[in-house]
Amino acid sequence: MELEVAGRTVRLSSPDKVFFPERGFTKLDVARYYVGVGPGILRALRNRPTTLERYPDGVDGEWFFQKRAPKGMPDWIPTAHITFPSGRSADEMCPTEQAAVVWAAQYGTLTFHPWPVRATDVDHPDELRIDLDPQPGTDFDDAVRAAHELRAVLDEFGGLRGWPKTSGGRGLHVFVPVEPRWTFTQVRRAAIAVGREMERRMPDQVTIKWWKEERGSRIFLDYNQTARDRTIASAYSVRPRPHAPVSAPLRWEEVGAVHPRDFDLATMPARFAELGDVHADMDDHAYCLDALLELARRDEHDHGLGDLPYPPEYPKMPGEPKRVQPSRARRDQTS
């Protein structure tokens, strides 16, 4: 069948293929969902290199991340050339129209993972993204408490404003639009500074310990989500869980008043029709990271708190501490 999407026709094959057996949602339901929230997800993806998380046979089938632009992609969908930490590079899909999202859904894309950069400058992020990830023994309510303290930290260090959203799971994401004049390394350093300040204020509730064995029952502020080629599911993305949740943009007054299960493939279009995109004004702002980078400098100068480990697939980075989990390091020392 064919769908009309903001003036462009997108062909949908096998529209009745079931993607979410628990709820009975089909590929057509997913495509229509993205039509319904089209202006919102396009705002989140516009001009951003985007990795596709694809489930061609639904959530119970095989899946994969597609970083390189799919073969046969229409010429009206542009690409952006990005470089990975390994030094290799690729051209990634870079949506500029709502129809691009529906076209990707035709090929089983459920979740869209945009880089925090625009195609015009792929080396300088324009978003600081904070991921509040509940660890075993914690839940969404713990992430909510951390998010409200995070809001205060952001305001205190540079008058920054964050836009919160559910992850689609148990956590929360907070995105801060920033001026695109800092490198990935500097933005990651700012995220580490945020995390350390959060640890000081909520030592029993928040951690930035990279190694799982050290985190305990605390909310993990995943500073490495700001490293190059690490991405976070976009606002409005469908998440590959049986009940078809979506990553829902929130207003701050809703943080703690709603629950992630309130937002799914069925409920979000109605919310969008009523409220529109509650993050629509994000692109009207661009904040400065100087105060957070100064905090990072003080942490290092006054307390000896330098860099933290990178993800395992990264080459060894300048200034990075030894990348080995503490229990193994202790065993190596005693053997």
Side-chain angles (χ1 to χ4, degrees), residues 18-21 55 57-63 110 239-242:
V18 176
F19 271 23
F20 292 89
Y55 292 76
D57 295 313
V59 294
D60 291 342
E62 297 291 326
W63 66 278
L110 295 183
R239 306 314 310 275
R241 295 177 174 87

Side-chain angles (χ1 to χ4, degrees), residues 167-187:
S167 67
R170 299 190 307 141
L172 280 165
H173 302 150
V174 178
F175 286 10
V176 180
V178 300
E179 300 169 13
R181 58 188 180 94
W182 293 278
T183 64
F184 278 94
T185 301
Q186 290 172 309
V187 174

Side-chain angles (χ1 to χ4, degrees), residues 51-66 107-111 113 239-240:
T51 297
L52 309 179
E53 187 176 347
R54 293 178 55 187
Y55 292 76
D57 295 313
V59 294
D60 291 342
E62 297 291 326
W63 66 278
F64 57 95
F65 287 106
Q66 178 140 16
Y107 290 93
T109 302
L110 295 183
T111 307
H113 296 266
R239 306 314 310 275

Side-chain angles (χ1 to χ4, degrees), residues 224-278:
N224 267 331
Q225 292 289 24
T226 52
R228 180 186 287 271
D229 193 33
R230 298 285 281 208
T231 55
I232 294 178
S234 77
Y236 301 102
S237 272
V238 179
R239 306 314 310 275
R241 295 177 174 87
H243 61 288
V246 302
S247 180
L250 302 177
R251 298 168 294 194
W252 274 110
E253 57 267 28
E254 295 179 298
V255 177
V258 298
H259 190 272
R261 291 192 74 100
D262 296 335
F263 310 105
D264 60 30
L265 203 66
T267 61
M268 180 54 81
R271 172 181 166 89
F272 192 89
E274 178 185 357
L275 300 177
D277 179 15
V278 298

Side-chain angles (χ1 to χ4, degrees), residues 128-147:
L128 168 65
R129 298 173 173 179
I130 306 296
D131 180 7
L132 299 173
D133 184 11
Q135 301 302 290
T138 64
D139 57 21
F140 181 72
D141 291 336
D142 297 300
V144 165
R145 285 187 281 272

